[in-house]
Amino acid sequence: MTPRTPIDPDLIVRHNARLQKDLAADYEHLGTVLARRGVDLEAITARIQRFTVAIPSWGVGSGGTRFARFPIAGEPRNVFEKLEDCAVIQQLGRATPTVSPHFPWDRVDDFRELREFAHSYGIVFDAVNSNTFEDLPGRLSYKFGSLTHTDKSVREQAIAHNIECIEIGQQLGSRALTVWIGDGSNFPGQLNMSKALERYLESMRVIVAAIPDGWRLFIEHKLYEPALYSTVIADWGTSYICATQLGANVQCLVDLGHHAPTTNIEQIVSRLIQFERLGGFHFNDSKYGDDDLDTGSVNPFQIFLVFNELVDAELRRAPGFAPVYMLDQSHNVTDPVESLLESAVALQRAYAQALVVDRDALNSAQEGNDALMANRTLQNAVRMDVESAIKMARMRNGGAIDPVAVFRDSRYRQCKASARPQDLTGKSGIV
Ligand code: RM4
Ligand code: MN
Ligand code: MN
């Protein structure tokens, strides 16, 4: 079955026809530059063509801060409309064939229907996310925690929700559950830190027992927020310890925004690879905290350094290395479709640059303690203009050479503004 195409395919063809000649010239030039370094451009392009990252279902609506949310006309009002927007991103960008859903935000009556609907656009589901950081009317409150709450009945409610997420995930064809909890404390002394972690492990053991064969459970750590003094799963160390306590199918998920600003994230990635617990990523960028800005918009070098570790692991076939890539962003001032398109490209760029690192030269410089040459090897790669390889990969996959230009020209958002009438008064909130 050919997937449905929310954007007129002819528009992509027309746009590409205009840009193809320049792209061919740039691509040829890049091929010559890389050949001089002994790198085969076609092999790089083929790898970029296979690179994929999941879209967070909560990322296609306008985000907001705790002060306000400024919705845009035509944004999705439910999960079906979210999937339609994800299909636009995939049709134009060809790097995002998967969507990571969040419950209860994406709850529907018939999950089989939802899965079929996604398939009709060529989209499949990646890791399901549970939500025990928000209250639902008529349910027990998570004000003082969920999986680590002092009250057993609250813990049981949170456990049951996670198990339900697994069941939903099975219906959707997903293969992983990501657990991030907001549990922690706002005041020194508020929480017995050891008891809280004990309760976490106890609750998680029940959830892990419900993980089907072939599935993985990802633990996502976060330094602070909403708890502002301490969080129960604050860092990769806690996450790693819990993963090892809980079972071989439990791994750590690294959200780039969930660390103190100066943390060496690429070193965390390296450690988790080494000990076979790197489950996956939530990619985003930040200046101060969990800003959830577009990937690569603030610190593209950091993304490159993370990919340098990932490519190193890929090339040496590190045991147990199979991370899943997801975006986790909040788009407060841009059209989410455009931001997500650009973010996927930022990852492809980091990946391509990491692929052109001269690994032999890097290794000799490292072994010989030649710090300057080691760094220059990385700098040489990060300064490579790999745009034409990314565009070529996208075009060969059937996408647009300039996806944002096609998106704007399609007037998709303007059309949706009338098709999706809604109340545009701002409300605060993270999604
Ligand atoms: C959290 C965390 C989770 C995401 C929520 C919406 O800060 O990043 O991954 O599910 O936000
Ligand atoms: Mn996240
Ligand atoms: Mn976050």
Side-chain angles (χ1 to χ4, degrees), residues 64-170:
T65 65
R66 65 186 197 271
F67 299 98
R69 188 176 92 87
F70 302 100
I72 56 170
E75 69 179 23
R77 298 163 301 177
N78 55 54
V79 64
F80 293 98
E81 293 177 354
K82 288 180 195 176
L83 286 170
E84 215 181 331
D85 288 8
C86 292
V88 171
I89 301 167
Q90 169 58 1
Q91 190 190 349
L92 299 176
R94 302 289 163 146
T96 55
T98 53
V99 172
S100 187
H102 216 307
F103 298 103
W105 295 335
D106 296 326
R107 173 175 285 291
V108 292
D109 292 333
D110 186 346
F111 287 106
R112 301 260 162 219
E113 184 196 351
L114 186 65
R115 184 184 184 169
E116 287 312 309
F117 183 80
H119 282 188
S120 74
Y121 283 112
I123 286 173
V124 296
F125 287 99
D126 208 322
V128 288
N129 298 266
S130 59
N131 176 344
T132 60
F133 48 86
E134 251 179 357
D135 281 352
L136 285 177
R139 309 296 301 270
L140 299 172
S141 174
Y142 294 131
K143 180 172 177 180
F144 293 108
S146 59
L147 293 175
T148 77
H149 201 287
T150 49
D151 182 342
K152 191 158 193 279
S153 44
V154 180
R155 297 203 297 277
E156 280 169 356
Q157 177 181 288
I159 292 167
H161 168 67
N162 275 282
I163 293 174
E164 195 198 357
C165 284
I166 296 170
E167 286 159 7
I168 294 172
Q170 283 183 289

